[in-house]
Amino acid sequence: AHAVAVPAHSIGVDLGGTKIELVVMTDDVIHRERVATPKTAAGIVATLAGLVERAEATVGATWPVGI
């Protein structure tokens, strides 16, 4: 397996059938939020956008996002 380079600061999203979890990482996880997965594509997109906006507001910066 090949290692994937992760930026020093990043936002990771785990999009599942029942939950969406977002973590903000430096050397450690500095922010985490978990919500139920909406039933529609539009709901999922809106939820992802809201999660990222709240995370960026919490850390005071815009960072790369990986899903």
Side-chain angles (χ1 to χ4, degrees), residues 4-31:
V4 175
V6 177
H9 307 297
S10 59
I11 298 172
V13 177
D14 177 7
L15 173 57
T18 60
K19 61 111 177 128
I20 300 173
E21 185 169 12
L22 176 142
V23 295
V24 180
M25 299 165 285
T26 57
D27 291 332
D28 297 307
V29 173
I30 61 171
H31 174 80

Side-chain angles (χ1 to χ4, degrees), residues 14 16 18-22 33-38 47-48 51 54:
D14 177 7
T18 60
K19 61 111 177 128
I20 300 173
E21 185 169 12
L22 176 142
E33 186 174 353
R34 180 185 290 184
V35 297
T37 301
T47 298
L48 289 170
L51 285 167
R54 286 191 299 278

